[in-house]
């Protein structure tokens, strides 16, 4: 029930981002709304559900982006593996610490994309563009993740049983 | 599921996604099928969610911009709001009327070769530039079909689903368009930078170009037909090292403000 609810919300958020953000001049601050869900589900619902969520969110982001095939799945699975390995070391005591982790993950994802491009195609055509957006994306994703964390916690308290 | 098993599966998916990224045909084809299948689900949802965007755009344009007026006088603001909204409606309708007229004119010039589509979404990542339109395979859209507006080139269709398609904008770093400078013999390749402006490559320092020159498609890239306007030259730097000049181009279309586009059907 929980995983289904979280997945549905994350997919709605991603589609909503694609549909609605074209109106607002927020090209510089486009958040990665999938990232907070991947990290939350992996940390709090276990690696099995986290993996499933990562795969679906990565695929949906790739469908709604001009990203090269496989790239979003690769970076998102890498983040999932990183979070899984660091599970015991990441200490989330509030929505703010969660937002730092989400922001940091966006930075790691950006570098992973650059490494992937370099390794597989031997070119860094998009490097300046990716570098240009790393910090604003990380800040804004961190900011958005505060609200996402609060929203999930509220849904847990109000509608779903807490584990 | 045990943690180790999940990590092993994730590792396998990681390797597979890397192989897909490297364009190995076997993996690429299989992945495309999965992606298209999931895309069929995403299309209608995106279409549905894009419906309220017109309303949000209207509110954003007409109301948010009036926040300053609110502070001055509540009563005056109320009146002003009503008038502004009314006025905005007329202006928006007028704009839409003009836009649709120009779209219709262009379509009449090329009967049976163009399909009009509405923009329903954009790239969720700001590393890449694409828009999503509400026409797909069922409407005869195919890959590499040029997408234009009466102002000029928008981009090309890159991924086609049943009900919607992805259009790579000329601003995307993977986009290249073969262009001529209007009225001159100079030819170059217009490349996306991922930012608002584009780069005109392979223009020799002694080539005949000037700021304000308009660029048109040459038709030699076998994607865009000859003669479509693409952009205007805004800066030329001949002082850099090498034989080529550094030329910046502003495209005619602002992809952030696109509502309707036309897809040129190839036979």
């Amino acid at each position: 029930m929980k995983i289904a609810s979280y997945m549905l919300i994350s997919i709605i958020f991603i589609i909503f981002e694609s549909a609605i953000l074209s109106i607002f001049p927020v090209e510089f601050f486009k958040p990665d709304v999938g990232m907070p869900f991947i990290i939350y589900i992996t940390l709090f619902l276990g690696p099995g559900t986290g993996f499933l969520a990562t795969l679906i969110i990565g695929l949906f982001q790739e469908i709604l982006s001009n990203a090269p095939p496989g790239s979003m799945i690769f970076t998102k699975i890498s983040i999932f593996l990183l979070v899984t390995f660091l599970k015991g070391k990441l200490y989330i005591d509030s929505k703010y610490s969660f937002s730092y982790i989400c922001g940091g993950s966006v930075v790691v994802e950006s570098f992973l994309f650059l490494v992937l491009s370099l390794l597989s195609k031997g070119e860094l055509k998009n490097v300046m563009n990716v570098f240009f957006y790393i910090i604003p994306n990380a800040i804004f994703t961190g900011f958005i993740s505060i609200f996402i964390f609060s929203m999930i916690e509220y849904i847990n308290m109000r509608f779903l049983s807490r584990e | 599921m045990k943690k180790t098993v999940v990590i092993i599966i994730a590792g396998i998916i990681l390797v597979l996604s890397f192989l897909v990224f490297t364009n190995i045909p076997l993996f690429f084809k299989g992945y495309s099928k999965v992606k298209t299948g999931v895309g069929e689900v995403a299309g209608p949802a995106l279409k549905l969610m894009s419906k309220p965007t017109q309303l949000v755009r209207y509110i954003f344009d007409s109301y948010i911009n009036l926040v300053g007026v609110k502070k001055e006088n509540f009563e005056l603001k109320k009146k002003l709001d009503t008038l502004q909204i009314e006025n905005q409606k007329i202006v928006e309708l007028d704009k839409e009327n003009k836009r649709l007229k120009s779209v219709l004119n262009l379509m009449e010039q090329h009967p049976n070769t163009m399909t009009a589509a509405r923009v329903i979404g954009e790239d969720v990542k700001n590393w890449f530039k694409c828009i999503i339109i509400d026409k797909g395979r069922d409407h005869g859209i195919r890959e590499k079909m040029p997408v234009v507006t009466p102002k000029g080139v928008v981009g090309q269709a890159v991924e086609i689903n049943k009900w919607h398609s992805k259009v790579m904008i000329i601003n995307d770093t993977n986009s290249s368009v073969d262009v001529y400078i209007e009225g001159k013999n100079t030819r170059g390749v217009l490349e996306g930078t991922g930012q608002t402006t584009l780069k005109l490559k392979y223009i020799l320092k002694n080539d005949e170009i000037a700021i304000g020159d308009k660029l048109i498609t040459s038709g030699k890239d076998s994607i865009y037909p000859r003669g479509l306007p693409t952009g205007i030259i805004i800066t030329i730097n001949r002082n850099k090292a090498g034989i080529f000049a550094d030329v910046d181009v502003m495209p005619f279309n602002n992809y952030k403000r696109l509502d309707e586009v036309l897809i040129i059907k190839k036979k």
Side-chain angles (χ1 to χ4, degrees), chain B residues 102-124:
Chain B
S102 58
V103 168
L104 199 66
N105 277 344
L106 197 64
M107 280 182 82
E108 278 169 357
Q109 284 168 25
H110 308 272
N112 304 324
T113 58
M114 284 187 176
T115 303
R118 193 170 273 274
V119 178
I120 55 168
E122 68 160 33
D123 209 307
V124 289

Side-chain angles (χ1 to χ4, degrees), chain A:
Chain A
M1 178 64 183
K2 264 189 177 181
I3 177 71
S5 317
Y6 296 161
M7 286 311 305
L8 193 68
I9 296 167
S10 65
I11 288 165
I12 288 172
F13 267 47
I14 294 167
I15 296 176
F16 187 73
E17 186 188 17
S18 173
I20 213 91
L21 283 189
S22 59
I23 296 168
F24 305 108
V26 287
E27 188 62 21
F28 191 58
F29 303 105
K30 217 175 244 182
D32 188 336
V33 290
M35 193 63 87
F37 285 96
I38 289 173
I39 293 170
Y40 189 95
I41 295 170
T42 308
L43 286 177
F44 297 110
L45 297 186
T49 40
F51 172 66
L52 192 70
T54 308
L55 209 58
I56 294 170
I57 290 171
L59 197 62
F60 260 90
Q61 283 197 331
E62 216 172 283
I63 287 165
L64 298 172
S65 168
N66 200 26
S71 61
M72 286 294 111
I73 302 269
F74 182 90
T75 52
K76 290 286 187 286
I77 294 276
S78 305
I79 294 291
F80 159 77
L81 286 171
L82 205 66
V83 173
T84 308
F85 287 128
L86 295 174
K87 197 175 177 181
K89 293 173 185 72
L90 293 172
Y91 182 63
I92 296 176
D93 60 342
S94 68
K95 53 191 173 187
Y96 301 109
S97 47
F98 179 73
S99 83
Y100 294 142
I101 293 168
C102 291
S105 302
V106 170
V107 176
V108 175
E109 189 196 18
S110 308
F111 282 106
L112 274 170
F113 177 79
L114 291 176
V115 170
L116 177 69
S117 303
L118 192 67
L119 285 177
S120 62
K121 294 184 176 167
E123 62 173 24
L124 282 175
K125 206 178 176 187
N126 213 9
V127 64
M128 286 315 287
N129 204 26
V130 175
F131 266 124
F132 184 74
Y133 290 118
I134 285 179
I135 302 301
N137 281 356
I139 292 170
F140 210 54
T141 305
F143 185 66
I144 288 286
S145 61
I146 294 173
F147 295 100
I148 291 176
F149 186 85
S150 306
M151 187 196 66
I152 296 173
E153 287 293 290
Y154 175 77
I155 291 169
N156 282 345
M157 264 200 298
R158 193 88 170 80
F159 306 106
L160 304 165
S161 58
R162 286 180 75 95
E163 281 174 2

